[in-house]
Amino acid sequence: MESKLVIYNTLTRQKERFEPLHAPNVGMYVCGPTVYGDPHLGHARPAITFDLVFRYLKHLGYKVRYVRNITDVGHLEHDADEGEDKIAKKARLEQLEPMEIAQYYTNRYHQFMDALNVLRPSIEPHATGHIIEQQQLVQEILDNGFAYESNGSIYFDIEAYNKKFKYGILSGRSLENIKDASRDNLDGVGEKHNQADFALWKKAQPEHIMRWPSPWSDGFPGWHCECTAMGRKYLGEEFDIHGGGMDLIFPHHECEIAQAQASMGHPAVKYWMHNNMLTINGQKMGKSYNNFITLEQFFTGKHELLEKAYSPMTIRFFVLSAHYRGTVDFSNEALQAAEKGYEKLMNAIADLDRVQVGDKCDAETEKVVKALRQNCYDAMNDDLATPLVLSNLFEACTVVNKLIDHKATICADCLKELSETMRLFAFDILGLKEEKGGSNDSREEAFGKVVDMVLELRAKAKADKDWATSDKIRDELAAAGFEVKDTKDGVTWKLNR
C-alpha cells in the first residue's frame, strides 16, 4: 500500500512520508491521562489530535492498533515527588481508596471524551495492571549495565548510556545541559551517581500507600517505565507511532527512548508525533499551573473566564481549527468563532437535503465540487492540515447556500459527490457530529412548532396582502435572531445563535 500521507517526525525534525513497518498494520501508542482530577481543555487536545490520526489511518485502509494508557499510579510525574502520590493524596483528602479515585476519574475521562466524539482506543492498559512488565524492563536495563541499585531504588545511569548511545536525541538537549538543569533537583541526593539520572524503581517510604514487592524493595515503578513496558507488550519491540503532548518530549519521551535502547539495544518507535499546547494568556493550561478550565465547566459555562457555555462539538471544532503542531490560546472570542463555524458547516450539510437538482451544473459549482475531495485529501495528507480541510469545506458551504437561494445550479451526480465529500470529511474524518438529542429535544421541537406557527400567520398576512403585518413579523423574528428567507419553494428559517 503506497501512502501519500506525510507527517512531521519530532525525532528527525522534518516531515516524512508515512510508511508503516508492517503495512497494512499500524501500531500507535499515545500517552493518556493521569486520573486524579477531571479532564480539562488541555487533555482534550491530544485526545482529539490522535483521534484524528486514528480515524484517518483507518479511512486510508490501515488496520490500526491504537493503545492509550491510563496512569493510575499518580506519584510519577517527577522523580522529586517523594511523598504522597497525586492519586493517594486525593484519596486521603476524600477518604477513599486510591483505586476508587482512579476509577472515578477514569470514568469521568471516558464520559467527556465520548462527548467530544473521541473514539475509544483499541487497548487501554492501566499502569497498575502492568507492574510485572515494568519490573522486567527494569531488570533488563540493570542486566545490560545501564542502571544501578541504591538503597532499594533503581536509577537509570545516563553517563553509562551516553557512552554507547546518545541521550537527548528527541529534545535536542546535550547531556551537559541536562546535568546543569538537574543540579537543583535534591531528590535522591546521596543515592544517585548523577543528579540527571532518573528513577526506574523507587523504594516506598513508610507513608506511601501504593506499593508493590520487587527484588529490590517494596516500592513503585518510575513514571517513564509504564509507557515503554506497555508499548512493547501490545505493539511489539518496534512500532510505528508514539504520540502525546509537546510537554512530554522532555523528560518523559526522552527517557522512554533511552529505556527502549538500554533494554533492547535498538529504538522502539519510528515516528514521534506531538501536539502543541493549549494556553491561557500565553501560559500552558494545566493542573500544576492552576489555570485550567475543565471540560464540564466549558459544557456548563460555570467558570469565571467563560462568557457562556460551549458545546462539545464547539470545543472539538475549536481544536481542529488550528494545526495540531501550532499553539492555541484560549479566548471567548475564539470559541465563539468556532461555534459559528461549526454551525455554518452543520447548517450547510443539513441544507444539502433541500437542494434542488437541475439538468446541469453552472461552471463555478462544478469547479468547486470536482476539486473538493482531492483538496481535502491533499490537506490531510500534508501532516493533517485540518484548518485547510475546514477552509475547503467552508468553500463548499458557500456553494450550498447559493444553491438554496437558487443563485447556482447543480446536477444529480455533482450533488451526490458534494454531499458524500462534505459528510465524509466533516463526520468520518474530522469526527464532528450534529448536536441534536439529549434533554433539549422536546424543547427544541416545541420551539420549532412555535416558529412555524408564526410563519404561517405571516403567510396568511401575505395572502391577504397585509404587507405591514407580514413585514412586522419578519422584522421581529430577525431582531430575535431568526433568519427568514422567502424562496420559490417556500419559506425557510434558521436561528443565528
Side-chain angles (χ1 to χ4, degrees):
M1 180 188 296
E2 184 181 354
S3 172
K4 293 183 179 178
L5 173 62
V6 172
I7 57 176
Y8 184 84
N9 189 349
T10 309
L11 185 64
T12 60
R13 294 168 182 77
Q14 63 184 11
K15 290 181 183 179
E16 297 177 3
R17 186 173 298 282
F18 179 66
E19 295 176 340
L21 294 164
H22 306 290
N25 298 302
V26 172
M28 180 169 75
Y29 188 100
V30 175
C31 292
T34 301
V35 283
Y36 68 98
D38 267 349
H40 55 69
L41 191 60
H43 294 120
R45 192 168 196 196
I48 291 169
T49 295
F50 292 100
D51 180 60
L52 177 76
V53 178
F54 186 34
R55 287 172 179 271
Y56 192 55
L57 289 174
K58 289 201 299 179
H59 171 71
L60 293 178
Y62 293 111
K63 185 179 180 182
V64 186
R65 180 178 289 174
Y66 175 18
V67 181
R68 186 185 66 205
N69 68 301
I70 294 288
T71 298
D72 53 358
V73 187
H75 47 269
L76 306 174
E77 294 290 343
H78 302 284
D79 288 347
D81 293 344
E82 274 282 10
E84 278 185 300
D85 66 47
K86 292 175 179 174
I87 291 173
K89 182 178 180 181
K90 190 88 168 182
R92 180 176 56 79
L93 291 173
E94 298 189 17
Q95 296 185 322
L96 296 169
E97 282 290 321
M99 293 313 291
E100 277 187 277
I101 293 292
Q103 187 64 57
Y104 174 78
Y105 286 111
T106 298
N107 293 344
R108 295 277 287 175
Y109 180 78
H110 288 151
Q111 174 188 337
F112 290 110
M113 292 306 109
D114 289 347
L116 291 169
N117 205 26
V118 170
L119 300 176
R120 298 286 178 100
S122 316
I123 302 172
E124 193 172 54
H126 291 232
T128 53
H130 297 78
I131 299 297
I132 291 172
E133 288 85 353
Q134 293 177 74
Q135 290 179 351
Q136 288 171 339
L137 173 70
V138 174
Q139 189 62 59
E140 288 170 7
I141 297 172
L142 268 170
D143 292 344
N144 291 341
F146 297 112
Y148 54 90
E149 182 178 354
S150 183
N151 296 332
S153 293
I154 308 296
Y155 292 100
F156 190 93
D157 191 335
I158 287 182
E159 289 273 16
Y161 175 83
N162 208 55
K163 288 175 183 175
K164 184 170 182 181
F165 304 104
K166 185 178 185 306
Y167 186 79
I169 58 171
L170 186 67
S171 61
R173 304 185 186 201
S174 70
L175 186 57
E176 289 307 312
N177 287 339
I178 293 165
K179 285 181 182 177
D180 289 343
S182 302
R183 281 178 185 152
D184 294 333
N185 175 15
L186 299 179
D187 172 56
V189 169
E191 287 190 357
K192 294 182 180 182
H193 294 174
N194 188 305
Q195 281 309 108
D197 293 347
F198 59 89
L200 296 173
W201 185 267
K202 292 282 284 184
K203 180 180 179 180
Q205 299 301 312
E207 69 274 11
H208 207 99
I209 301 173
M210 299 176 82
R211 59 172 67 213
W212 291 265
S214 81
W216 318 290
S217 63
D218 277 6
F220 48 88
W223 171 38
H224 313 301
C225 288
E226 63 177 285
C227 293
T228 303
M230 295 190 294
R232 184 167 70 180
K233 179 179 178 68
Y234 295 110
L235 298 174
E237 289 196 355
E238 294 180 276
F239 56 92
D240 299 295
I241 297 172
H242 194 315
M246 206 170 278
D247 56 330
L248 297 178
I249 293 175
F250 186 88
H252 186 46
H253 289 165
E254 196 75 78
C255 293
E256 279 195 62
I257 288 175
Q259 289 171 162
Q261 292 264 31
S263 61
M264 300 184 298
H266 61 79
V269 179
K270 187 173 183 182
Y271 304 98
W272 287 88
M273 296 182 70
H274 294 91
N275 63 274
N276 212 321
M277 297 296 97
L278 276 160
T279 57
I280 293 184
N281 298 322
Q283 186 182 47
K284 175 195 165 186
M285 181 183 290
K287 290 190 177 75
S288 55
Y289 296 99
N290 200 33
N291 67 348
F292 61 94
I293 305 174
T294 69
L295 291 173
E296 182 175 48
Q297 288 169 329
F298 273 104
F299 299 163
T300 60
K302 294 178 180 177
H303 190 282
E304 60 185 9
L305 293 177
L306 297 173
E307 292 179 3
K308 54 179 286 189
Y310 297 98
S311 73
M313 285 303 101
T314 295
I315 299 299
R316 187 174 181 108
F317 192 97
F318 171 66
V319 171
L320 294 171
S321 295
H323 191 271
Y324 77 91
R325 288 194 291 115
T327 54
V328 178
D329 198 50
F330 158 83
S331 72
N332 281 281
E333 292 76 17
L335 281 164
Q336 285 162 24
E339 184 176 61
K340 288 178 181 176
Y342 165 72
E343 288 181 351
K344 177 180 177 180
L345 181 56
M346 292 301 107
N347 286 337
I349 291 174
D351 284 344
L352 284 164
D353 293 334
R354 299 195 295 115
V355 170
Q356 283 194 327
V357 174
D359 295 332
K360 62 178 183 178
C361 298
D362 65 84
E364 185 60 30
T365 298
E366 185 175 25
K367 179 183 174 184
V368 172
V369 172
K370 294 212 167 165
L372 179 62
R373 187 179 294 255
Q374 191 57 53
N375 287 344
C376 288
Y377 274 124
D378 289 346
M380 285 299 296
N381 287 335
D382 185 12
D383 196 29
L384 311 170
T386 53
L388 194 51
V389 175
L390 289 171
S391 176
N392 285 307
L393 291 175
F394 283 146
E395 188 176 8
C397 291
T398 301
V399 169
V400 174
N401 292 335
K402 286 181 179 178
L403 291 167
I404 291 293
D405 292 341
H406 301 288
K407 294 177 180 176
T409 57
I410 192 167
C411 67
D413 287 345
C414 282
L415 179 59
K416 182 173 182 286
E417 171 65 13
L418 179 62
S419 179
E420 287 179 354
T421 302
M422 290 185 74
R423 287 184 165 95
L424 167 66
F425 281 92
F427 299 144
D428 297 351
I429 294 174
L430 296 184
L432 298 168
K433 64 179 180 179
E434 293 183 26
E435 286 186 311
K436 291 180 180 178
S439 60
N440 290 326
D441 255 8
S442 58
R443 280 182 292 178
E444 288 181 2
E445 186 178 348
F447 185 73
K449 285 180 179 178
V450 171
V451 176
D452 288 339
M453 182 179 69
V454 172
L455 289 174
E456 282 179 20
L457 292 173
R458 179 172 176 263
K460 185 176 185 305
K462 288 179 72 175
D464 294 340
K465 296 188 173 5
D466 183 357
W467 309 118
T469 300
S470 170
D471 291 346
K472 187 174 190 309
I473 292 173
R474 183 198 61 209
D475 294 343
E476 291 288 344
L477 285 171
F482 293 91
E483 184 179 332
V484 177
K485 287 186 178 181
D486 293 301
T487 74
K488 68 179 185 180
D489 303 315
V491 182
T492 66
W493 66 270
K494 65 181 179 181
L495 177 59
N496 295 320
R497 297 176 184 175

